[in-house]
Amino acid sequence: MKRRAFLQAGGALSVAFLAGCALPVIPKRPVAGYEDALGWVRHREGRYELLLPRVEMGQNIGTALKQVACEELGIGWDQLTLRLPHTGEMARVRATVGSESVKDFALPLAQACATLREALAAGHTQGERMAEPRPMDQLRAFQPGGRHVGRAAPIEQGPAIVTGAAVYVADVRLPGLLFGRVLRSPVSAERISTLGAMNEAAARAVKGFVALVRDERLRQASSEGVGIVARTPGALDRIEAALEARWLSQGSFDQADVDQLVDVDRHLADGGFKYRVHEDTIDAQGPWDVDLRIDIPLAAHAPIQPRAAVAAFDAEGGLDLWVGSQDVYYQRDVVCKRLGLDENQVRVHGSRVGGAFGGKTICTVELEAAVLAQAVRQPVKLQWTRAQEFRQGFHRPPSSHRIRVRLRDGQLDQWWHAFGSSHILFTNAGLPAWMQRLTDFVTDAGVARGAQLPYRCARKRAEFALNRLPVFTGPWRGLGAGPNGLAMESAIDECARHAGVDPLAFRLRHAEDPRLARVLRAAEAQAGALPPDAPGLRRGRGVACGIYKQLSYVAVVAEVAVDARGQLRVARLVCAHDCGTVINPDQVRAQCEGNLVWGLGMALSDRLAAVDSRIGPGSFAEAPIPSLDQIPPLEVVLVEAGGAPGGAGETAIVATAAAIANAVREATGVRIQRFPIDTGLLAQTTTT
């Protein structure tokens, strides 16, 4: 067995690239193990320190892992200090994605803490130790009735957030700090665009101007970037206005072009479905009991904090980089390659992230800040504007679904789910077209996520087609699980209606997994009776459920009210959630609540439109997220079945939007087929 000192962090792994190689940097995703975890926890003079191996982005994973460590070490909460390390202090860990932090990191951390606890009990306070990792049932952290695990705990960084202390990358202050921005053509970076002309003299005349940077490393895909550096953030706007940059771009597209590329019926006509989720043979001829098309548009991550980075070089050429990224090691890899630096010259400091949801996985603003700091030889802070977040980031791809179903004796008999979409894991924001074509030989698992039918059915077929779009698409909360769940659970609801069976009873009749049935029953019990219609209001209740990554289970009940003008209000959302062993019930409920609000947005507001070869919206006013007055009472029931933790960060998104759509169907008789919901369709309708 490889040994590692349990009082020290392990060394960083090296990554080698050919000088000048045009290949993009590929993220490395090592699996964290017991030996890695030995470098996460330290002890000195009665005090313990935990180096957080995950990025803290609102899921409060630092709190949960501290609970695991304190439980296994048998110490009080205040005896352990949590710290966010830089990349030189511990071995590489994989990006913070996929609701994996508790699922994949709690067990090795508990194993390492058990080794440290026993070493200290034996009087060993320094040196190296070898020990075999032990199974979950032999660890204190996962036994019932613990002091820390399974209970609420003080949120790490909570007081700092409330008091406005510096926890985010935008809060970083350094001596001599300057401020930067990279200007680009407003058109999509999938289209070639270059700077045609600018008024450099006018820009230089603006008070606070420091530098104008033309550097090929500022290119994003096919979009040339021009950097400006100023002494104050406000001066950046004035310099940009004075510069009057005029851009030249090639090609054009609009929303109709995007829609056509994912159109499921076009793919059906062409027979162009390359990827399979279920592969049973289906009789494509003859009538269908349910034939439903569902269209779901582009949607933004919409983090409250636009991405930012701070870069500072020291006198020896070393770089300190402060980032708000889901993968600090990937930032190091990209910056090292693009700037020609060795790993030991770059220290990437992870900060708390103000919203990410898959969108802050690639290197964008981090490289921009490093290039500008290198050019001016002073520290530079660079933060995207809200318009840049919409127009330069990647988004949830649109998807177009057709689901055809045959029933036999009220049971699912043949299920055919075909859909068109664009890439998620193999994002065009990181892969050139030629390299993305190489990925066509394997399934993009992000697009396929959640497309497995969780119900008994004699024959199942699910297949999809992908097209590279003229806008960036990539990982979004839950990847494909949210859109796939919305389409599938809408179709299941129609199947129940066709069979003349209550939608919840229909799901229970077909549920193959007892844990799925358990959350359905728990949601039903919590929901109780539906309030009667009030004068001028039509009320409806809808249910939906799903399994996330075959590990965590959810059922959601939605109640809606629709007035005579078609105005829709979601009156209540009830969620039953099973993610195995729960470390912190308050934080699991918080994750469920966040997913419920995301599902509300999927149903009511999420949409990005392509206009004039770009993403049209540039603000929350043009691409709104749910507002406080739209959020109904949220009720979360945790169904604790024990077993290994399964992840809670994305599960409820698979069912929430569908539950709302199904409630609208119950209230109005209208089956929503294009999202977000157009309330004009609901006016003056009658329940069927």
Side-chain angles (χ1 to χ4, degrees):
M1 176 181 289
K2 179 181 176 182
R3 298 189 299 165
R4 181 170 298 160
F6 65 84
L7 299 180
Q8 300 176 0
L13 302 176
S14 62
V15 184
F17 293 94
L18 295 176
C21 179
L23 287 173
V25 178
I26 305 300
K28 293 173 174 55
R29 299 289 172 85
V31 175
Y34 161 74
E35 292 179 335
D36 300 288
L38 291 172
W40 302 344
V41 60
R42 300 173 173 181
H43 172 266
R44 177 176 294 174
E45 297 177 355
R47 298 286 306 172
Y48 298 81
E49 182 179 57
L50 174 61
L51 303 183
L52 184 63
R54 313 304 288 138
V55 171
E56 183 59 85
M57 54 185 186
Q59 80 281 42
N60 291 315
I61 188 58
T63 303
L65 292 184
K66 181 174 177 178
Q67 288 176 267
V68 170
C70 287
E71 193 74 68
E72 194 61 47
L73 291 167
I75 61 174
W77 190 255
D78 294 335
Q79 287 180 263
L80 186 145
T81 300
L82 181 77
R83 184 165 64 82
L84 280 62
H86 63 68
T87 51
E89 293 183 278
M90 66 163 57
R92 180 191 299 267
V93 294
R94 66 184 297 158
T96 303
V97 295
S99 302
E100 296 172 344
S101 293
V102 169
K103 179 178 75 71
D104 290 347
F105 286 75
L107 178 58
L109 174 61
Q111 292 169 333
C113 288
T115 297
L116 176 57
R117 169 172 48 80
E118 292 180 356
L120 292 173
H124 304 297
T125 59
Q126 60 184 348
E128 298 181 353
R129 292 290 179 274
M130 291 178 61
E132 291 291 334
R134 61 208 73 192
M136 186 174 173
D137 61 5
Q138 295 180 20
L139 293 165
R140 296 179 179 180
F142 304 108
Q143 305 309 310
R147 179 181 174 187
H148 301 285
V149 170
R151 306 172 184 273
I155 295 176
E156 287 293 300
Q157 296 187 321
I161 294 170
V162 171
T163 59
V167 295
Y168 300 101
V169 64
D171 298 326
V172 173
R173 299 288 187 269
L174 299 174
L177 185 65
L178 302 176
F179 300 87
R181 180 177 300 167
V182 176
L183 310 180
R184 305 184 188 282
S185 167
V187 306
S188 169
E190 276 287 281
R191 293 290 178 260
I192 296 174
S193 60
T194 56
L195 181 65
M198 62 180 174
N199 190 342
E200 184 173 348
R204 289 182 176 277
V206 174
K207 183 179 180 181
F209 175 90
V210 173
L212 187 146
V213 180
R214 303 286 298 271
D215 192 310
E216 178 62 23
R217 295 172 299 180
L218 295 177
R219 178 175 296 277
Q220 181 191 38
S222 297
S223 176
E224 180 184 358
V226 177
I228 56 175
V229 182
R231 300 200 180 280
T232 65
L236 292 171
D237 292 333
R238 296 190 293 274
I239 294 167
E240 181 177 357
L243 192 64
E244 295 181 317
R246 293 182 289 281
W247 302 92
L248 305 175
S249 60
Q250 300 179 20
S252 64
F253 65 90
D254 58 19
Q255 186 61 45
D257 298 303
V258 174
D259 293 341
Q260 192 266 344
L261 285 167
V262 301
D263 183 356
V264 65
D265 288 333
R266 178 181 69 85
H267 288 294
L268 280 166
D270 296 341
F273 295 100
K274 186 172 184 177
Y275 307 101
R276 304 281 187 269
V277 179
H278 298 300
E279 301 195 38
D280 293 345
T281 300
I282 296 291
D283 180 7
Q285 305 303 314
W288 300 91
D289 294 313
V290 171
D291 188 347
L292 183 65
R293 173 165 170 162
I294 299 288
D295 289 289
I296 303 168
L298 277 161
H301 298 89
I304 298 301
Q305 177 201 30
R307 68 196 71 204
V310 175
F313 284 86
D314 60 30
E316 288 74 38
L319 171 64
D320 280 283
L321 187 64
W322 287 264
V323 304
S325 168
Q326 293 174 247
D327 191 345
V328 294
Y329 293 92
Y330 182 66
Q331 306 306 326
R332 183 185 66 184
D333 292 347
V334 172
V335 169
C336 283
K337 181 183 180 184
R338 298 300 300 276
L339 272 62
L341 301 173
D342 294 330
E343 283 184 7
N344 58 11
Q345 292 179 278
V346 178
R347 295 168 297 276
V348 181
H349 306 261
S351 305
R352 191 181 184 97
V353 182
F357 321 115
K360 294 176 180 175
T361 47
I362 65 172
C363 186
T364 52
V365 67
E366 299 83 6
L367 177 62
E368 293 174 351
V371 170
L372 296 187
Q374 190 179 59
V376 299
R377 300 186 179 185
Q378 281 186 248
V380 171
K381 176 183 292 183
L382 196 148
Q383 181 165 343
W384 276 7
T385 65
R386 182 62 58 190
Q388 287 176 310
E389 276 290 330
F390 282 118
R391 293 172 182 162
Q392 295 175 197
F394 61 74
H395 307 292
R396 182 192 73 196
S399 56
S400 176
H401 304 252
R402 187 166 290 280
I403 300 179
R404 291 167 169 164
V405 190
R406 291 191 180 100
L407 305 178
R408 177 177 295 179
D409 299 327
Q411 305 289 323
L412 294 174
D413 183 55
Q414 295 185 48
W415 172 274
W416 184 12
H417 178 193
F419 60 103
S421 188
S422 191
H423 303 78
I424 293 181
L425 296 182
F426 303 133
T427 168
N428 57 344
L431 297 179
W434 68 266
M435 192 170 185
Q436 194 178 64
R437 283 193 293 270
L438 295 178
T439 70
D440 289 346
F441 294 100
V442 295
T443 298
D444 188 319
V447 181
R449 183 166 295 173
Q452 298 88 353
L453 183 68
Y455 302 110
R456 289 187 202 90
C457 183
R459 284 184 282 172
K460 299 181 282 191
R461 186 173 187 84
E463 54 193 343
F464 61 94
L466 299 178
N467 280 99
R468 188 179 179 103
L469 298 184
V471 293
F472 286 159
T473 64
W476 188 85
R477 192 168 192 173
L479 308 186
N484 289 334
L486 173 51
M488 293 165 61
E489 285 294 291
S490 295
I492 288 293
D493 218 61
E494 289 302 309
C495 290
R497 292 178 181 280
H498 184 86
V501 178
D502 173 78
L504 189 141
F506 187 85
R507 288 171 169 82
L508 286 171
R509 178 188 298 176
H510 287 86
E512 291 189 295
D513 193 314
R515 292 176 69 180
L516 185 63
R518 188 157 47 235
V519 292
L520 279 164
R521 293 191 180 96
E524 177 187 35
Q526 180 67 23
L530 177 68
D533 285 351
L537 288 178
R538 292 159 291 164
R539 297 186 187 274
R541 171 175 286 173
V543 63
C545 62
I547 306 172
Y548 187 68
K549 296 175 72 171
Q550 313 308 119
L551 293 169
S552 297
Y553 300 76
V554 68
V556 175
V557 174
E559 294 177 7
V560 304
V562 184
D563 66 20
R565 297 173 300 157
Q567 296 302 302
L568 167 65
R569 181 174 65 87
V570 179
R572 185 185 181 202
L573 289 172
V574 175
C575 172
H577 188 273
D578 172 7
C579 61
T581 295
V582 173
I583 303 300
N584 186 317
D586 279 1
Q587 292 309 309
V588 172
R589 290 190 184 94
Q591 289 296 296
C592 292
E593 290 170 356
N595 277 283
L596 292 172
V597 175
W598 270 69
L600 186 77
M602 284 183 67
L604 302 184
S605 59
D606 287 349
R607 180 199 287 121
L608 289 178
V611 178
D612 296 331
S613 301
R614 60 178 171 84
I615 296 295
S619 68
F620 283 144
E622 298 168 301
I625 58 177
S627 55
L628 286 175
D629 61 349
Q630 291 178 296
I631 298 174
L634 308 176
E635 302 171 40
V636 177
V637 178
L638 300 184
V639 181
E640 296 193 56
E650 297 165 301
T651 307
I653 202 168
V654 308
T656 307
I660 294 169
N662 294 339
V664 169
R665 173 73 164 90
E666 174 69 21
T668 67
V670 175
R671 168 54 62 192
I672 302 300
Q673 295 182 260
R674 294 185 66 86
F675 290 85
I677 297 171
D678 180 356
T679 56
L681 296 174
L682 308 182
Q684 303 300 330
T685 55
T686 56
T687 303
T688 60

